[in-house]
Amino acid sequence: MAAAPVRTRITEMLGIEKPVIQAAMGWIARAPLSSAFSNAGGMGIIETSSGELDAIREEILKMKDLTDKPFGVNVAQAFVRDPNIVDFIIDQGIKFVTTSAGDPMKYTSMLKEAGLTVFHVVPSLQGALRAIEAGVDGLIVEGGEGGGFKNPKDVASMVLVPLVCEHVNVPVVAAGGITDGRSMAAAFALGAEGILMGTRILSSEESPVHQNWKDAIFAADATDTVFLNRSGPGPALRALRTERTERILKEGVDNIFGEFAGTQKVYFGGDLEAGIALTGQVAGRITEAKPVAQILDETIAEYHKVVSGLPK
């Protein structure tokens, strides 16, 4: 028997069944994975941070064949190579965009004028207020536990999510450290109306990454990620603990982006020492691959169980 739905402003605004958004992981968040997420009732997201817009155009076409459910596109502003990225997204008929890794003032008004719904990813209260000023429809509030590129002055979700929720009226999606119904219930208690999943979906059955990366996640403790490049230059990030990332942690690097030259070998070749495997702390709670639909169904069912079992 399917769990009762969870209705929030997020589900109503985005037209989705479950208030769960998929992280926009570069090269990974493409049609096979993202359509599975949308078909499971969440909001699948296609990445653009790879910069491969010709390939992304094909992935969007594939999405339209693989799902009739809503999906969106992410614009990671720090990685935009095409100045016409907004026109590109509008031309593809996209209705929902998440923007990240940059100033929300840059693209929000253009996207909104074209009738799109825009959520911006923020790592701080100051970032959230800036995004509200820019006119976003919602916020993805990202704690420092999450994998990927981060604010060097990281704040944990337990502090950041309620802080932002106390100061804004738009719906908030919590990101960082969320992998199941228990963590979803915690996020909702903090004021969120939706959640974003990254590492949990990275390690799903439909994820295209090499089994070596998934196995490393399943074997990881909660302390088996590292926070790199806190002092720059370039962005900070959270990644899987390997010999390479341990060295970077201790010695630093002149150019963190240079460490991503072997990304394809890491992601799809399974050589975790060839580059950096972006992974969240929640790897310490993930022990096996599951189909995306099962992950989302179990998340909603457990959410209801946890909430109903709280002390009265």
Side-chain angles (χ1 to χ4, degrees):
M1 182 178 178
V6 178
R7 302 296 184 200
T8 72
R9 286 187 291 173
I10 298 293
T11 58
E12 298 304 313
M13 185 179 293
L14 304 184
I16 54 179
E17 299 164 24
K18 301 177 176 74
V20 188
I21 296 176
Q22 166 228 313
M25 300 166 281
W27 287 278
I28 299 165
R30 294 193 173 184
L33 178 61
S34 301
S35 64
F37 202 93
S38 286
N39 285 330
M43 175 60 78
I45 302 291
I46 295 290
E47 61 88 17
T48 64
S49 58
S50 63
E52 299 173 349
L53 292 192
D54 287 340
I56 297 303
R57 184 182 290 107
E58 295 302 315
E59 293 300 315
I60 292 172
L61 291 174
K62 291 176 187 175
M63 280 291 285
K64 294 176 180 178
D65 287 335
L66 292 171
T67 184
D68 59 0
K69 302 291 183 64
F71 69 91
V73 166
N74 169 257
V75 178
Q77 295 176 203
F79 304 99
V80 170
R81 303 174 192 170
D82 188 337
N84 298 313
I85 185 72
V86 170
D87 291 335
F88 170 83
I89 289 171
I90 294 169
D91 290 345
Q92 310 314 306
I94 300 299
K95 300 301 181 185
F96 175 61
V97 170
T98 62
T99 55
S100 58
D103 188 346
M105 293 290 179
K106 186 168 185 178
Y107 295 128
T108 299
S109 62
M110 291 185 285
L111 291 165
K112 293 280 293 174
E113 287 170 7
L116 281 71
T117 300
V118 181
F119 282 25
H120 190 68
V121 180
V122 299
S124 66
L125 175 59
Q126 292 75 16
L129 297 178
R130 175 76 170 172
I132 296 299
E133 184 182 354
V136 299
D137 299 289
L139 296 170
I140 298 172
V141 177
E142 182 181 48
E145 309 97 315
F149 295 97
K150 291 281 167 285
N151 186 328
K153 298 179 180 178
D154 57 309
V155 180
S157 297
M158 182 66 77
V159 175
L160 184 61
V161 172
L163 176 63
V164 171
C165 289
E166 288 165 2
H167 287 84
V168 305
N169 293 317
V170 301
V172 164
V173 175
I178 299 172
T179 191
D180 56 10
R182 184 174 298 278
S183 42
M184 174 178 170
F188 275 45
L190 298 176
E193 296 181 54
I195 57 172
L196 181 141
M197 287 184 173
T199 303
R200 171 69 276 193
I201 303 306
L202 168 71
S203 58
S204 68
E205 287 189 2
E206 290 91 341
S207 170
V209 305
H210 195 279
Q211 189 64 39
N212 288 355
W213 191 357
K214 297 182 185 182
D215 289 342
I217 290 171
F218 304 147
D221 292 327
T223 54
D224 283 338
T225 65
V226 292
F227 199 94
L228 302 177
N229 208 45
R230 193 181 293 275
S231 299
L237 53 92
R238 185 176 294 284
L240 193 68
R241 186 185 299 276
T242 63
E243 291 182 11
R244 186 187 189 107
T245 58
E246 283 274 24
R247 173 182 55 77
I248 296 170
L249 180 65
K250 294 174 183 177
E251 301 175 7
V253 289
D254 293 330
N255 177 15
I256 193 67
F257 288 115
E259 300 296 320
F260 286 88
T263 291
Q264 301 298 318
K265 293 178 181 178
V266 175
Y267 288 18
F268 309 116
D271 182 357
L272 299 183
E273 298 294 345
I276 296 177
L278 301 171
T279 307
Q281 285 183 331
V282 80
R285 297 194 58 225
I286 300 169
T287 58
E288 62 180 328
K290 294 181 179 180
V292 168
Q294 182 179 346
I295 292 170
L296 266 62
D297 286 346
E298 289 180 353
T299 293
I300 299 301
E302 185 181 52
Y303 165 84
H304 286 295
K305 181 179 179 180
V306 169
V307 170
S308 64
L310 291 174
K312 304 301 183 193

